Amino acid sequence: MIFLNYFLENYNKILRLSLQHFWLFIISLIIAMIIGVTLSIIATEEGREKMGQVIISITGAAQAVPSIAVIALVFIYVGIGAVPAIISLIVYSLVPIVFNTTSGILSVPQSIIEAGKGMGFTRNQILWKIKIPIAIPVIIGGIRSAATIIIGTAVVASVIGGGGLGDLIFIGLKLNKPEALFAGAFSSALMAIIVDTILARVEKTITPKGLKARK
């Protein structure tokens, strides 16, 4: 009952912090997608397959770096506020996007690529009409992972002045108010579930029919 009362009494504050959290998430995800997919496309061009494999190995190892370490490094060199928080979220969320996009593009069968060349496709046509459509399920999987990571890590990013639902959690810890902590944690988890559900629907919508049947 105490948790429900806290939600009702602090509805405006929770909504405001949720919106802050959402904007941190959406800005970070969009920039991370642009950077991550671009890096993967460059690394998987013909003749650069070895570079792609190296990127997969590096990003796989980078996944083990704690999020708090990334945030601490950005804080040291950039300072506090929403901008350094977004930078740290972008850096940490690049890993699954680059890993999945690179893996997805490299996994496209060479026979299909050769068939495209035989049909007179240019390099760009092969990329956007063959490789990317086939790799879409894997790419979206990386984006879904990145989205979940960003929403969760944004809670920790509030310690460097990023704002968002992390403020509620740290208020709960400092003032020994479990209801505030619960409100922040619950709202963050709910946002992650909603975003993942939306991205799952997007994946089903844009995945080519042949790949859906194969799945």
Side-chain angles (χ1 to χ4, degrees):
M1 198 64 183
I2 188 173
F3 298 117
L4 180 59
N5 287 336
Y6 184 84
F7 268 101
L8 295 175
E9 292 171 2
N10 297 274
Y11 174 80
N12 289 332
K13 182 178 181 180
I14 294 171
L15 180 60
R16 176 175 56 81
L17 292 176
S18 294
L19 288 173
Q20 284 183 5
H21 204 94
F22 177 77
W23 283 113
L24 285 174
F25 153 72
I26 199 68
I27 293 170
S28 302
L29 182 64
I30 290 172
I31 297 174
M33 284 169 55
I34 293 170
I35 295 173
V37 173
T38 301
L39 285 175
S40 298
I41 289 173
I42 292 172
T44 54
E45 287 182 355
E46 276 193 54
R48 294 180 177 174
E49 288 82 1
K50 288 185 178 179
M51 184 189 295
Q53 295 295 345
V54 170
I55 287 177
I56 289 176
S57 299
I58 292 173
T59 51
Q63 188 81 65
V65 179
S67 58
I68 192 65
V70 175
I71 292 170
L73 283 172
V74 173
F75 165 70
I76 291 171
Y77 291 103
V78 184
I80 63 172
V83 172
I86 289 171
I87 292 172
S88 63
L89 294 174
I90 291 169
V91 171
Y92 199 62
S93 61
L94 273 175
V95 174
I97 295 175
V98 173
F99 183 87
N100 278 45
T101 305
T102 305
S103 298
I105 294 175
L106 290 178
S107 67
V108 176
Q110 191 62 32
S111 58
I112 298 178
I113 296 173
E114 293 301 325
K117 290 179 180 178
M119 294 171 65
F121 281 14
T122 63
R123 181 181 295 182
N124 281 337
Q125 287 176 322
I126 289 173
L127 174 65
W128 295 107
K129 292 187 177 182
I130 296 176
K131 291 182 178 180
I132 296 295
I134 292 175
I136 274 294
V138 182
I139 295 172
I140 296 294
I143 293 172
R144 288 173 67 180
S145 297
T148 304
I149 287 170
I150 290 173
I151 292 172
T153 308
V155 170
V156 184
S158 70
V159 300
I160 59 172
L165 293 166
D167 287 356
L168 274 179
I169 293 175
F170 287 108
I171 286 173
L173 290 171
K174 288 179 181 178
L175 303 180
N176 194 25
K177 294 180 68 173
E179 60 272 24
L181 195 155
F182 175 81
F186 175 80
S187 300
S188 177
L190 182 61
M191 186 181 297
I193 292 170
I194 292 172
V195 167
D196 189 66
T197 301
I198 292 171
L199 289 175
R201 295 199 175 202
V202 170
E203 179 184 350
K204 288 182 180 179
T205 301
I206 66 177
T207 298
K209 292 181 180 179
L211 293 178
K212 289 180 184 177
R214 191 182 304 174
K215 289 173 74 177

